[in-house]
Amino acid sequence: MNTQVALWVGFNLFVVAMLAMDLGLFHRKEHAVSPKEAGIWTGVWITLSLIFCGGLFYFGYWDKTQALQWVTAYVVEYSLSVDNLFVFLMVFGYFRVAPEVQHRVLFWGIVGAFIMRAVLIIAGTALVQRFHWLIYLFGAFLVFTAVKMAFSHDEDDADPEQTMVVRAARRMLPVARQGEGSHFFTLEDGRRKVTPLFLVLLVVEATDLLFALDSIPAVLGISQDAFIVYTSNVCAILGLRSLFFVVASLMEKFHLLKMGLSVILGFVGTKMLITFFDIHIHIGLSLGIIGGILVASIIASLIWPKAAVEPLPTPPQKDREGASP
């Protein structure tokens, strides 16, 4: 077995082992994940990811450029994944998913994300290496997405019940009227049916696929090495579950983060386009610019907080005789 194959096999075995330990040991008993617990796990996943990159650099498998490419791709993917959290919050709120089962939904959503992203990444890197002009197409797509994201509003988000995946599932699958805890399948009226929680899982998977169509081209603008692109993606989405519970209560506070993400997409897209003129931005400078944009958007959110929306006045309640109090 050559070194490259051993790295692929070893990395995936490690990921599977960590996921099994996560669900089978640390989250065997369903419970609402506290911000403190989520913060610890976020730190664990980030530390493991950086140790992985540092280890490959230390033992000579990667040179300095490859290690910087991985870190930059990881930061970009992790940052763009934050935008997923806005959608997950909306979906969990709409379907009234109990806090104690949200981790289970995100866990199986990430398992599906591994498979989908592996296919997209292997296909994407192979196509870019064979047809280099696709880089410019991806760059233009990212710039377009950046402009669209910058001018979109939260209220523009679609009703989860009206998404194509939910409507198709309701037509094709027998859906139970009520859920059964954290189960995706149940017996109802003598038939095996999917629960509403299964529909939530489908929406999470579909959301990740849509975001992957943005994030993977962005990472391909940093490196066309399939192993770097894949491992940075996987490490980022491994930490996404715990990050969800950390920032769930802070979304309103960092309201300018979405604008920062759109600037990052625009920067990476422009970086891909200008290679047509043989202009290349050093990977270290790219990492600094991307990190600076993230920090600036967070600081700006704290300096200029989002204006609170005043609740509409409620009409006066009438007493039993029909008179206002």
Side-chain angles (χ1 to χ4, degrees):
M1 183 181 294
N2 62 41
T3 302
Q4 193 66 17
V5 173
L7 287 175
W8 277 92
V9 173
F11 177 79
N12 283 291
L13 287 177
F14 172 76
V15 170
V16 170
M18 288 301 297
L19 286 174
M21 187 169 21
D22 184 4
L23 189 64
L25 180 62
F26 297 106
H27 294 92
R28 181 171 54 186
K29 184 178 179 181
E30 292 176 357
H31 64 283
V33 179
S34 67
K36 180 180 179 180
E37 179 187 355
I40 293 173
W41 270 104
T42 300
V44 168
W45 288 120
I46 292 176
T47 301
L48 287 175
S49 299
L50 295 179
I51 289 175
F52 164 76
C53 178
L56 289 182
F57 173 70
Y58 179 80
F59 290 105
Y61 294 109
W62 282 347
D63 57 25
K64 183 179 179 180
T65 299
Q66 290 173 309
L68 280 174
Q69 286 177 342
W70 189 94
V71 173
T72 306
Y74 175 71
V75 171
V76 168
E77 182 61 37
Y78 211 169
S79 304
L80 294 177
S81 294
V82 171
D83 208 29
N84 289 24
L85 304 185
F86 291 94
V87 180
F88 293 164
L89 278 174
M90 179 188 67
V91 172
F92 287 164
Y94 180 88
F95 286 100
R96 299 178 183 176
V97 179
E100 59 269 19
V101 300
Q102 290 178 1
H103 180 275
R104 181 178 176 85
V105 175
L106 292 175
F107 176 90
W108 289 110
I110 284 176
V111 171
F114 288 155
I115 300 172
M116 291 188 297
R117 287 175 181 248
V119 173
L120 290 173
I121 288 168
I122 292 173
T125 52
L127 286 172
V128 168
Q129 289 172 0
R130 184 168 182 178
F131 306 105
H132 183 72
W133 55 267
L134 285 173
I135 281 288
Y136 311 128
L137 184 63
F138 287 157
F141 174 72
L142 290 180
V143 172
F144 169 78
T145 304
V147 174
K148 184 179 178 181
M149 181 186 294
F151 290 97
S152 66
H153 301 283
D154 293 340
E155 57 267 23
D156 295 336
D157 293 328
D159 181 349
E161 190 68 39
Q162 299 303 317
T163 57
M164 185 181 300
V165 64
V166 173
R167 287 186 294 172
R170 288 198 179 278
R171 285 198 302 265
M172 300 171 61
L173 299 173
V175 181
R177 291 183 294 274
Q178 294 183 344
E180 188 177 332
S182 62
H183 297 287
F184 297 119
F185 303 93
T186 187
L187 283 175
E188 186 180 84
D189 302 328
R191 297 178 60 196
R192 181 165 292 278
K193 298 182 179 181
V194 299
T195 63
L197 193 64
F198 184 80
L199 298 183
V200 176
L201 178 61
L202 290 180
V203 174
V204 168
E205 296 284 13
T207 300
D208 182 79
L209 178 60
L210 289 175
F211 277 98
L213 296 178
D214 292 339
S215 63
I216 290 177
V219 177
L220 288 174
I222 298 167
S223 173
Q224 285 86 56
D225 185 316
F227 188 67
I228 290 176
V229 176
Y230 174 71
T231 53
S232 61
N233 259 262
V234 169
C235 287
I237 60 178
L238 275 175
L240 184 61
R241 291 165 303 146
S242 53
L243 185 65
F244 170 83
F245 297 102
V246 172
V247 304
S249 59
L250 302 175
M251 285 298 189
E252 290 297 315
K253 185 172 291 187
F254 299 134
H255 64 104
L256 293 178
L257 184 59
K258 191 169 186 177
M259 181 62 70
L261 298 179
S262 69
V263 175
I264 290 175
L265 276 180
F267 167 71
V268 176
T270 303
K271 179 175 176 290
M272 296 166 78
L273 289 173
I274 63 177
T275 58
F276 179 79
F277 304 100
D278 202 24
I279 301 175
H280 302 275
I281 300 177
H282 190 271
I283 189 64
L285 179 58
S286 296
L287 178 59
I289 291 173
I290 291 168
I293 293 171
L294 281 175
V295 172
S297 62
I298 292 173
I299 293 176
S301 298
L302 298 176
I303 296 176
W304 296 286
K306 189 174 182 179
V309 179
E310 295 184 3
L312 295 174
T314 56
Q317 298 293 325
K318 294 184 178 182
D319 59 19
R320 292 181 180 179
E321 285 76 28
S324 298

